Amino acid sequence: MMKKIAVYPGTFDPITNGHLDIVFRALEFVDKLVIAILVNPEKSPLFTVRERMEFIRKVVPADDRIEIDQFHGLLVDYVKKKGARSILRGLRAVSDFDYEFQMALMNRRLESTIETIFLVPAEKYTYVSSRLVKEIASLGGSVKGLVPTEVEERMKEKFHRKKGIKI
Ligand code: PNS
């Protein structure tokens, strides 16, 4: 039987508990999950790709079904290269819908054999985003419970060192 491989792409700057929730839900029905960080030279992330990969490695469970990787270029090309048939995305609220719908249809236009699967996180994470978490942490607010503890600590350190960072 063919393995059900899904790619969970994103910026993950940084990974939040909402992302993690999606990972756990996906593991209920995929044989393999590739968490793939987009290397985007046009964005100036808070954490390097290496740091973001390290966080993910630390916080996802040790499971042979999970691979952590990075990619650049078109997502559909990467998905094909990994032998996957589906793209996994989290859908938190209606506000996510426009962007996600557009991306899913564009990806289908580029590669009709690849499906996008949307998963809804637990309600308590529906308002959590990497962007807000960075904003709160940069202003000295608590992000406890929104990101894994390791990430929380590293964010504190980072903002302590880099006062006045732009988000
Ligand atoms: O976590 P994000 O920033 O919402 O993730 C966006 C991501 C990485 C899924 C998206 O930007 C992407 O797939 N980029 C790769 C380039 C690409 O394929 N663009 C066309 C998408 S329709």
Side-chain angles (χ1 to χ4, degrees):
M1 261 227 327
M2 245 174 59
K3 268 191 166 185
K4 290 195 189 81
I5 308 172
V7 171
Y8 182 24
T11 306
F12 301 108
D13 183 40
I15 187 164
T16 66
N17 285 342
H19 291 126
L20 265 182
D21 182 276
I22 296 291
V23 168
F24 287 122
R25 285 171 200 279
L27 288 174
E28 293 293 321
F29 64 88
V30 298
D31 298 314
K32 185 177 169 185
L33 183 67
V34 183
I35 305 174
I37 300 176
L38 172 69
V39 181
N40 186 351
E42 279 164 31
K43 273 196 180 174
S44 39
L46 175 61
F47 294 105
T48 64
V49 171
R50 185 193 269 226
E51 286 175 309
R52 282 178 272 160
M53 285 188 74
E54 205 182 293
F55 288 151
I56 299 176
R57 236 177 251 123
K58 275 193 183 142
V59 302
V60 300
D63 189 317
D64 290 346
R65 293 173 301 162
I66 302 179
E67 180 185 338
I68 300 153
D69 196 13
Q70 50 179 285
F71 77 102
H72 47 82
L74 276 182
L75 174 60
V76 287
D77 290 341
Y78 174 76
V79 172
K80 274 194 288 180
K81 197 180 90 186
K82 298 308 280 186
R85 295 278 306 278
S86 52
I87 296 167
L88 181 73
R89 294 286 289 171
L91 203 55
R92 291 165 300 188
V94 179
S95 50
D96 281 342
F97 186 77
D98 273 355
Y99 171 59
E100 294 297 336
F101 187 67
Q102 202 180 3
M103 243 186 351
L105 289 181
M106 195 58 92
N107 281 328
R108 179 179 284 164
R109 185 194 157 97
L110 292 168
E111 182 51 66
S112 63
T113 60
I114 294 173
E115 290 294 343
T116 301
I117 299 171
F118 294 109
L119 289 183
V120 176
E123 255 174 274
K124 61 181 173 184
Y125 300 129
T126 49
Y127 56 86
V128 179
S129 71
S130 301
R131 186 182 63 80
L132 278 184
V133 159
K134 281 184 284 189
E135 185 174 314
I136 294 164
S138 74
L139 298 170
S142 167
V143 293
K144 202 175 173 59
L146 305 180
V147 291
T149 319
E150 292 85 345
V151 176
E152 191 191 335
E153 292 306 317
R154 289 286 292 279
M155 284 181 101
K156 270 190 209 156
E157 274 171 36
K158 199 126 196 169
F159 284 118
H160 194 71
R161 263 187 278 129
K162 287 184 167 195
K163 278 257 158 73
I165 189 169
K166 281 205 188 102
I167 296 168

